[in-house]
Amino acid sequence: MTFDVERIRQQFPGLARKVGSAPAIFFDGPAGTQVPLSVAEAVSHYLLHQNANHGGLFATSVESDAVLDEARLAAADLFGITDAQEIVFAANMTTATFHLSRAIAQTWLPGDEILLSDSDHDANFTPWKLASRDSGASVGQIHLRHDDTTLDLDDLRRKISPRTKLVAVGAASNASGTIHDVAEIARIAHDVGAIVYVDAVHYTPHALVDAVSWQADFVVASAYKFFGPHAAILWGKRPWLERLPAYKVRPASHALPDRWMTGTPAAENIAGTLAAINYLADLGRTTDPSAGTRRKAIVSAMREIATYERSLAKRMLEGLVRKGYRVWGITDSARLEERVPTFSITHPDPKWLPINLAKHLADQGIFVWHGNFYAQPFTEALGVDEHGLVRIGLVHYNTAEEVDRLIEGLPD
Ligand SMILES: Cc1ncc(COP(=O)(O)O)c(C=O)c1O
């Protein structure tokens, strides 16, 4: 069955927006996607009919807790794990990472070391740097190759040692779109007994998260990047979640699944996160009616999404190269499986600053980001100046016509 993008777009009311007389083009997905109606309805249904705090014996609290339980099962399906008690909901990825990094760092000693990467968002970088400062551990950095922005795993092999306690890496860069070989990174890290923390925030809307085949110890994603509301999902292997020292107030449950949740959860957003995962599963069932379980349906959805997005990526790359733009990432259309459709570009004439390019596009109703998108390790490693880059981020609700309009709208 072909990918029916028009049917998909009808589910996203936000996409109907116009700027002047032009239909808006949402190429801002890496900073937050639009949501299908089912997600907005799930948030509103929770608030209007199930709104209650956690752990009461009365109807709304019981229903609210049932929503949280179902959302955990859905999140487990999204990540491909079987124990839903290992799922933690957080306000956002940054908060989850600060929380966990403080706890993990309590197990580090001076002389220990952690490895971060040049290709990461600062949220998978600075929390670890600060935790290492607090514990006396030192920090190493896995470099990226400047020609194609892939991570240099030989550099990782050179730098890792039995003193390495943690390797934190993104599954895909939110600047270049490069997909990192997480399974190989985890294998190298586990050879020395290091914990592997995977930031799947940028990867999740584009491809299948598979925590088990990745052999990760922790995986984190943000629902607002995969068609949901503002909430994050953190998964960790049960022994870590049980053993690591969690920061908790006294009356709160110190047992899983509540152990790593602090304060009152944004339950309406967790209800919306459940709906976003179900949206993906429904998409999978549409393209493959025999998909069966929610996990199988998600597998099918992500396969369809990745294939469709690669067709858009090919078209985008051809257009950008034709126009002479510099693309800060993989440009070879034979290597599209190594990237997601996120393109950071600069104009060949440095007088066209990213901010002016982004404004030029905004005036045509084309929404893109400029700056460093918090991918500061990336822009620092590549020597990008303070003006940054322009980022065009596609997801599965974008179309070939939108790609063509962008290419046409870019100044020569
Ligand atoms: C790759 C990546 N990691 C982490 C984050 C931070 O996510 P959050 O806003 O949920 O803290 C982002 C947000 O842009 C991101 O793109």
Side-chain angles (χ1 to χ4, degrees):
M1 189 172 187
T2 53
F3 195 80
D4 189 350
V5 68
E6 279 315 317
R7 197 188 143 273
I8 284 166
R9 288 177 66 85
Q10 280 160 18
Q11 297 179 59
F12 288 80
L15 298 179
R17 189 185 180 105
K18 290 196 168 179
V19 175
S21 59
I25 299 182
F26 290 82
F27 283 157
D28 61 334
T33 50
Q34 299 303 299
V35 302
L37 185 60
S38 59
V39 166
E41 283 178 346
V43 173
S44 126
H45 180 79
Y46 176 89
L47 287 172
L48 297 177
H49 303 292
Q50 298 166 314
N51 197 10
N53 214 322
H54 178 41
L57 301 178
F58 49 93
T60 47
S61 182
V62 170
E63 276 184 37
S64 175
D65 281 349
V67 170
L68 297 194
D69 288 344
E70 181 58 24
R72 276 199 189 87
L73 289 170
D77 287 337
L78 182 71
F79 282 6
I81 54 115
T82 51
D83 184 355
Q85 303 280 299
E86 295 171 335
I87 294 291
V88 179
F89 292 108
N92 50 54
M93 178 277 183
T94 307
T95 304
T97 305
F98 269 117
H99 186 189
L100 197 81
S101 59
R102 279 169 89 195
I104 296 185
Q106 287 191 51
T107 67
W108 301 338
L109 299 168
D112 287 343
E113 179 190 79
I114 62 169
L115 284 175
L116 311 178
S117 108
D118 274 357
S119 194
D120 268 76
H121 187 282
D122 209 56
N124 200 26
F125 192 87
T126 291
W128 301 111
K129 260 201 129 148
L130 296 179
S132 73
R133 183 197 63 189
D134 294 347
S135 67
S138 61
V139 181
Q141 220 160 309
I142 312 164
H143 291 317
L144 49 73
R145 296 193 187 85
H146 285 209
D147 52 349
D148 67 356
T149 68
T150 54
L151 268 186
D152 182 352
L153 297 197
D154 289 333
D155 191 45
L156 166 63
R157 288 186 192 92
R158 272 192 301 276
K159 287 177 176 159
I160 203 157
S161 81
R163 292 183 315 152
T164 310
K165 297 298 167 207
L166 172 109
V167 177
V169 71
S173 159
N174 72 317
S176 64
T178 305
I179 294 174
H180 304 132
D181 188 349
V182 173
E184 178 61 7
I185 292 167
R187 205 189 52 69
I188 297 167
H190 286 154
D191 273 353
V192 299
I195 289 178
V196 177
Y197 186 89
V198 178
D199 170 4
V201 170
H202 192 67
Y203 182 92
T204 308
H206 304 292
L208 185 70
V209 175
D210 194 349
V212 173
S213 76
W214 286 353
Q215 292 289 311
D217 295 285
F218 294 93
V219 175
V220 64
S222 285
Y224 76 99
K225 313 279 193 179
F226 65 83
F227 322 109
H230 292 90
I233 303 168
L234 171 69
W235 164 79
K237 280 189 180 151
R238 181 178 273 269
W240 293 125
L241 294 179
E242 283 178 343
R243 264 192 259 135
L244 286 168
Y247 286 83
K248 295 289 287 187
V249 295
R250 284 174 300 168
S253 169
H254 289 231
L256 292 182
D258 293 331
R259 183 172 166 77
W260 293 89
M261 312 253 301
T262 49
T264 307
E268 63 273 33
N269 289 353
I270 297 172
T273 300
L274 164 61
I277 298 170
N278 283 338
Y279 159 77
L280 289 172
D282 286 346
L283 196 159
R285 290 195 186 99
T286 312
T287 50
D288 176 8
S290 66
T293 64
R294 180 162 48 201
R295 173 63 180 173
K296 283 192 183 143
I298 293 169
V299 171
S300 150
M302 299 323 293
R303 191 175 45 233
E304 295 296 323
I305 285 174
T307 305
Y308 174 68
E309 288 185 357
R310 279 198 280 275
S311 71
L312 297 183
K314 184 167 181 298
R315 199 176 183 104
M316 180 71 82
L317 279 173
E318 284 166 1
L320 292 172
V321 170
R322 196 170 58 243
K323 285 253 188 170
Y325 276 74
R326 174 163 182 189
V327 179
W328 296 69
I330 292 170
T331 51
D332 182 350
S333 56
R335 295 177 61 194
L336 292 178
E337 299 204 352
E338 294 176 59
R339 63 152 32 258
V340 299
T342 301
F343 306 93
S344 283
I345 61 166
T346 40
H347 193 280
D349 178 352
K351 284 206 290 293
W352 265 103
L353 295 180
I355 190 171
N356 298 334
L357 266 182
K359 178 74 172 85
H360 183 79
L361 293 172
D363 290 345
Q364 301 171 58
I366 304 176
F367 303 172
V368 299
W369 278 101
H370 64 282
N372 71 11
F373 339 114
Y374 283 42
Q376 199 156 328
F378 177 90
T379 50
E380 281 172 359
L382 293 182
V384 177
D385 68 22
E386 73 278 12
H387 301 295
L389 308 161
V390 167
R391 182 178 65 186
I392 308 155
L394 279 61
V395 292
H396 72 285
Y397 53 57
N398 291 121
T399 66
E401 293 71 39
E402 290 179 332
V403 172
D404 294 347
R405 228 182 93 199
L406 174 113
I407 298 295
E408 222 168 278
L410 281 173
D412 291 327

